[in-house]
Amino acid sequence: KYSQSSEIYSLGIILYSLFNNAKLPFSDSGDITTAINLRLSGKELLKPENADDLIWSWIKKATSFNVGDRFNSFEQARDALAEVEKC
């Protein structure tokens, strides 16, 4: 089901790529099909190479495999990102 959570997830993946030298999650797994299957299986993302712990925490929450663990709204995601920016 498409929702704010979907948009937040997409932003999380974009930030993941930006902090990971333009590489998407599991892109080192060999091919796109394998990468997609790993993500759809619930395998956790590895920390992006250039992400500090604060932004990594935000990205993990935004891209959580379990939808219920993601940010509940744009406002919640924005506020959490603003806290990261302060540090």
Side-chain angles (χ1 to χ4, degrees):
K1 182 177 176 184
Y2 182 79
S3 66
Q4 286 187 12
S5 179
S6 305
E7 293 293 327
I8 294 166
Y9 180 90
S10 296
L11 176 58
I13 293 296
I14 290 167
L15 288 175
Y16 183 96
S17 177
L18 288 172
F19 282 95
N20 200 40
N21 302 316
K23 293 186 287 185
L24 292 171
F26 309 113
S27 59
D28 294 338
S29 61
D31 60 65
I32 191 70
T33 301
T34 302
I36 291 170
N37 287 335
L38 286 169
R39 186 58 183 149
L40 292 177
S41 74
K43 184 170 173 83
E44 289 204 28
L45 304 181
L46 298 176
K47 182 178 179 181
E49 291 183 32
N50 304 302
D52 64 24
D53 289 340
L54 290 172
I55 192 65
W56 174 225
S57 176
W58 191 95
I59 292 169
K60 279 196 307 188
K61 184 164 180 72
T63 60
S64 175
F65 183 74
N66 181 349
V67 177
D69 292 338
R70 295 182 196 161
F71 294 107
N72 295 320
S73 67
F74 293 135
E75 293 79 17
Q76 186 185 35
R78 178 200 61 213
D79 293 348
L81 197 53
E83 289 299 315
V84 170
E85 185 179 48
K86 287 181 186 178
C87 296

